[in-house]
């Protein structure tokens, strides 16, 4: 047991130790993807060491439920990804020295960071400790850290999509970046959609002919939750005779946006057909019960729920932006609509609903493609290869 009483997994002496530091707090797609990788690495030559800077929020329980051991990071605070504040400067040398000492004492050979704050906090210490730093980028290609810090501290940059890759330039990490699509539990492809639909109809208290449209993701500007509400309103205007319910799954990720969503629901008079469901796990039954997953996000590097819907067999309508364009072949494995255009998004959703044959065809193609491209095994093998290449530098 650590001094905080957290269960620590004994490290194997015959495997290369890979450190995964996390800030803690809310659970996002990066945590789910990293969890799949960490679980898969136990069957390879690498031994994961998982660290949390904070034990607050749902992440500790999430890791415990997944059978992933963790311990407290050697420093409990961390530096923000947007830039180090002035009050952090006096403490920085001591922080770097403490992390460096921890990495050397534990014989950590690779530090794999998955969040902006962790890139900033661990990158320089990893370099000074002689460990390889793997920078896993899941955000915008114009992020300041990726542009200015990654070229210095990262040995390799892993990007979740081509869209998320570093921009070309004289000062760029592009030359050491690789695209590796996130891993998914492909077993969800076998979910019983009919049973899920029946259960969810009962829980929601809706009639069988109700069209269920879902939104899944943290409530942030990039995810466009307000556009989702506007799209549901546009659908109701276009088909006033249809029973429609829009389900919004997620937590507030930007201060004040929850209130903006609720105000938008009131302003558009759709309180009777838009329901804020909060953060729910598991989400698969809800996705399976949905007629369409609507992804209005703009410049999304690579959304997890989009791929999960494809695996489950739920048709996807997404904004033609960012990584959505890489994940979906328009009218092949989903539908792409104009970004920030509720009327066009609504028209595409209604097109799926009113053409069951097209919906079935798209869902089948999407499932087959997702099964081939996004398995955990494929992801783990690619990351392990990147580790070996980094260690050989």
């Amino acid at each position: 047991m650590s001094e905080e009483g957290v269960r620590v997994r004994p490290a194997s002496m015959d495997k290369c130790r890979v450190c995964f530091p996390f800030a803690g707090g809310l659970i996002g797609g990066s945590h789910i993807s990293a969890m799949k990788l960490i679980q898969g690495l136990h069957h390879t030559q690498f031994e994961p060491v998982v660290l949390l800077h904070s034990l607050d929020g749902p992440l500790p329980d999430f890791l415990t439920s997944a059978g992933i051991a963790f311990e407290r990071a050697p420093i409990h605070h961390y530096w923000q990804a947007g830039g180090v504040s002035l009050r952090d400067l006096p403490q920085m040398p001591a922080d770097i020295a403490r992390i460096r000492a921890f990495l050397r004492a534990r014989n950590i050979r690779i530090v794999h960071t998955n969040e902006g704050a962790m890139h900033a906090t661990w990158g320089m210490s990893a370099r000074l400790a002689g460990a390889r730093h793997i920078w896993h980028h899941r955000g915008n290609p114009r992020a300041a850290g990726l542009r200015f810090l990654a070229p210095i501290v990262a040995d390799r940059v892993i990007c979740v999509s081509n869209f998320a890759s570093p921009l070309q330039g004289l000062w760029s990490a592009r030359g050491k970046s690789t695209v590796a699509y996130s891993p998914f539990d492909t077993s969800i492809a076998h979910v019983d959609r009919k049973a899920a639909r029946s259960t969810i109809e009962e829980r929601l208290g809706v009639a069988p002919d109700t069209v269920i449209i879902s939104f899944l993701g943290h409530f942030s500007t990039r995810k466009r939750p307000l556009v989702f509400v506007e799209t549901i309103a546009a659908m109701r205007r276009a088909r006033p005779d249809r029973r429609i319910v829009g389900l919004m799954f997620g937590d507030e990720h930007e201060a004040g946006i929850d209130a903006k969503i609720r105000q938008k629901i009131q302003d558009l008079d759709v309180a009777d057909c838009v329901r804020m469901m909060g953060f729910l796990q598991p989400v698969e039954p809800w996705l399976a019960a949905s007629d369409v997953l609507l992804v209005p996000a703009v410049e999304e590097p690579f959304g997890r729920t989009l791929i999960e819907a494809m695996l489950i067999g739920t048709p996807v309508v997404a904004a033609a932006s960012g990584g959505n364009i890489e994940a979906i072949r328009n009218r092949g494995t989903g539908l792409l609509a104009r970004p920030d255009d509720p009327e066009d998004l609504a028209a595409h959703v209604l097109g799926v609903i009113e053409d069951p044959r097209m919906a079935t065809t798209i869902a089948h193609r999407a499932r087959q493609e997702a099964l081939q491209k996004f398995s955990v095994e494929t992801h783990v093998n690619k990351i392990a290869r990147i580790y070996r290449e980094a260690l050989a530098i």
Side-chain angles (χ1 to χ4, degrees):
M1 302 284 279
S2 72
E3 62 181 9
E4 287 81 13
V6 179
R7 184 178 179 84
V8 180
R9 183 191 304 274
S12 172
M13 297 303 294
D14 59 352
K15 292 186 177 183
C16 169
R17 291 189 182 94
V18 183
C19 178
F20 290 87
F22 295 98
L26 293 176
I27 299 170
S30 62
H31 301 102
I32 297 172
S33 294
M35 179 194 72
K36 298 297 183 186
L37 172 62
I38 290 165
Q39 289 172 324
L41 284 177
H42 281 300
H43 306 289
T44 70
Q45 68 190 79
F46 301 98
E47 176 72 19
V49 176
V50 181
L51 306 175
L52 297 184
H53 282 259
S54 171
L55 301 182
D56 295 332
L59 185 55
D61 288 341
F62 177 74
L63 292 172
T64 299
S65 67
I68 296 175
F70 60 88
E71 57 188 286
R72 196 72 182 266
I75 62 173
H76 295 176
H77 59 281
Y78 50 85
W79 309 335
Q80 295 298 329
V84 178
S85 66
L86 291 177
R87 67 175 179 270
D88 290 326
L89 290 176
Q91 183 65 28
M92 283 182 63
D95 287 344
I96 291 173
R98 191 170 180 181
I99 294 175
R100 173 177 174 269
F102 171 86
L103 294 174
R104 286 189 165 184
R106 296 292 292 272
N107 193 27
I108 302 294
R109 298 186 62 195
I110 295 173
V111 176
H112 188 149
T113 54
N114 290 269
E115 307 164 286
M118 296 299 95
H119 303 325
T121 304
W122 286 78
M124 186 57 69
S125 296
R127 180 162 289 278
L128 292 175
R132 299 292 184 254
H133 180 207
I134 306 298
W135 179 305
H136 208 137
H137 185 65
R138 307 173 187 275
N140 193 293
R142 292 181 291 278
L146 182 68
R147 293 170 60 197
F148 302 116
L149 184 60
I152 302 173
V153 302
D155 290 285
R156 292 293 297 270
V157 176
I158 300 172
C159 301
V160 293
S161 65
N162 288 296
F163 168 77
S165 298
L167 302 174
Q168 294 280 10
L170 293 176
W171 185 261
S172 172
R174 182 82 176 210
K176 50 188 174 184
S177 70
T178 304
V179 173
Y181 294 129
S182 299
F184 294 84
D185 179 4
T186 55
S187 69
I188 65 175
H190 305 295
V191 65
D192 188 331
R193 291 179 59 84
K194 289 184 178 179
R197 178 71 184 211
S198 178
T199 299
I200 299 308
E201 284 175 356
E202 184 176 351
R203 289 186 63 176
L204 295 175
V206 299
D209 63 344
T210 301
V211 176
I212 299 178
I213 313 298
S214 288
F215 170 101
L216 286 87
H218 291 321
F219 297 155
S220 64
T221 300
R222 190 183 74 197
K223 301 285 188 180
R224 297 297 198 267
L226 300 180
V227 174
F228 177 84
V229 177
E230 293 168 348
T231 301
I232 297 299
M235 288 179 62
R236 192 156 80 165
R237 288 194 300 271
R239 299 290 188 275
D241 56 322
R242 281 267 191 188
R243 291 190 178 98
I244 298 171
V245 60
L247 305 180
M248 303 188 72
F249 300 92
D251 288 325
E252 185 174 62
H253 197 59
E254 292 177 8
I257 198 167
D258 188 279
K260 291 180 181 179
I261 296 170
R262 295 181 187 278
Q263 186 61 53
K264 178 69 72 173
I265 291 171
Q266 295 300 320
D267 292 345
L268 295 178
D269 194 26
V270 290
D272 60 322
C273 62
V274 176
R275 305 189 189 186
M276 298 183 71
M277 307 296 292
F279 177 81
L280 295 178
Q281 284 287 350
V283 74
E284 289 83 7
W286 295 93
L287 266 179
S290 300
D291 293 288
V292 172
L293 174 70
L294 178 57
V295 184
V298 171
E299 295 196 343
E300 179 82 345
F302 206 76
R304 287 194 61 84
T305 56
L306 187 156
I307 305 301
E308 288 168 344
M310 292 170 67
L311 286 166
I312 286 172
T314 297
V316 178
V317 174
S321 174
N324 295 345
I325 299 171
E326 293 180 47
I328 287 179
R329 290 184 293 105
N330 191 31
R331 307 195 75 81
T333 56
L335 295 182
L336 296 172
R338 289 191 296 270
D340 291 329
D341 189 336
E343 299 292 337
D344 195 50
L345 286 162
H348 280 74
V349 173
L350 289 170
V352 173
I353 299 303
E354 295 174 353
D355 189 344
R357 180 176 295 180
M358 178 183 70
T360 300
T361 300
I362 284 176
H364 176 73
R365 289 175 183 159
R367 177 183 288 173
Q368 296 307 308
E369 189 163 308
L371 284 169
Q372 293 175 4
K373 293 176 64 175
F374 304 116
S375 72
V376 173
E377 182 180 9
T378 297
H379 181 78
V380 171
N381 288 341
K382 186 159 192 176
I383 301 303
R385 185 166 64 250
I386 292 171
Y387 286 171
R388 288 189 288 269
E389 292 171 355
L391 290 169
I393 293 175

